[in-house]
């Protein structure tokens, strides 16, 4: 199970590392987008900061995955991004759906593998204990 964990962690880290570096440094030409996906992407770019913030977050989490440091924290931070990737590909750009499925399942697996790190978060705290 540990070998599977390392493989999934490294694959997810490499995927986010390469995608974030490619966008941050304009290494690949963006494909021609159409329809609602084009509108969605233009809206994100119109904010002026969001794509950069997103890719920097992906880069930091990718490095955590690749180096095996703070993996539970990186998994929590990247979770909303992976869910969004899945739904964007499910609803707007179906051609990338396999990648969306992979990132959600890989992050869920990392969360499950590191479930002991999250156990204290699910302990109820009562008012008189605070």
């Amino acid at each position: 199970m540990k070998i599977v964990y390392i493989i999934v962690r490294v694959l997810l880290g490499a995927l986010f590392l390469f995608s974030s570096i490619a966008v941050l440094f304009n290494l690949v030409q963006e494909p021609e987008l159409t329809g609602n996906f084009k509108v969605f992407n233009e809206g994100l770019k119109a904010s002026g900061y969001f794509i950069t913030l997103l890719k920097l977050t992906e880069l930091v989490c990718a490095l955590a995955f690749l180096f095996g440091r703070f993996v539970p924290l990186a998994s929590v931070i990247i979770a909303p991004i992976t869910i969004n990737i899945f739904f964007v590909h499910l609803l707007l750009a179906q051609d990338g759906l396999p990648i969306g499925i992979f990132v959600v399942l890989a992050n869920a697996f990392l969360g499950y593998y590191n479930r002991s790190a999250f156990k204290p978060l699910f302990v109820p705290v009562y008012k008189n204990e605070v």
Side-chain angles (χ1 to χ4, degrees), residues 77-94:
I77 291 171
I78 205 85
I81 296 170
T82 60
I83 292 168
N84 191 50
I85 290 169
F86 172 73
F87 279 109
V88 163
H89 287 298
L90 179 68
L91 302 172
L92 299 175
Q94 287 79 19

Side-chain angles (χ1 to χ4, degrees), residues 5 7-20 54-55 58 61-62 65 71 74-90 93 96-112:
Y5 169 73
I7 291 170
V8 169
R9 181 175 54 82
V10 169
L11 285 175
L12 191 61
L15 178 77
F16 280 119
L17 179 71
F18 294 131
S19 71
S20 61
L54 176 70
K55 293 303 174 180
E58 288 180 6
C61 290
F65 290 148
V71 174
S75 186
V76 168
I77 291 171
I78 205 85
I81 296 170
T82 60
I83 292 168
N84 191 50
I85 290 169
F86 172 73
F87 279 109
V88 163
H89 287 298
L90 179 68
L97 190 56
I99 293 172
I101 292 170
F102 170 74
V103 295
V104 166
L105 291 178
N107 199 32
F109 175 75
L110 294 179
Y112 176 76

Side-chain angles (χ1 to χ4, degrees), residues 20-81:
S20 61
I21 288 175
V23 172
L24 287 172
F25 297 110
N26 295 320
L27 298 178
V28 294
Q29 186 176 3
E30 184 177 314
E32 185 64 33
L33 304 177
T34 58
N36 288 336
F37 186 52
K38 180 178 182 179
V39 174
F40 177 77
N41 202 38
E42 287 174 354
L44 294 178
K45 287 181 181 178
S47 70
Y49 76 94
F50 186 77
I51 297 293
T52 304
L53 176 65
L54 176 70
K55 293 303 174 180
L56 286 173
T57 303
E58 288 180 6
L59 179 64
V60 169
C61 290
L63 293 173
F65 290 148
L66 289 171
F67 290 118
R69 304 286 300 190
F70 304 107
V71 174
L73 178 62
S75 186
V76 168
I77 291 171
I78 205 85
I81 296 170

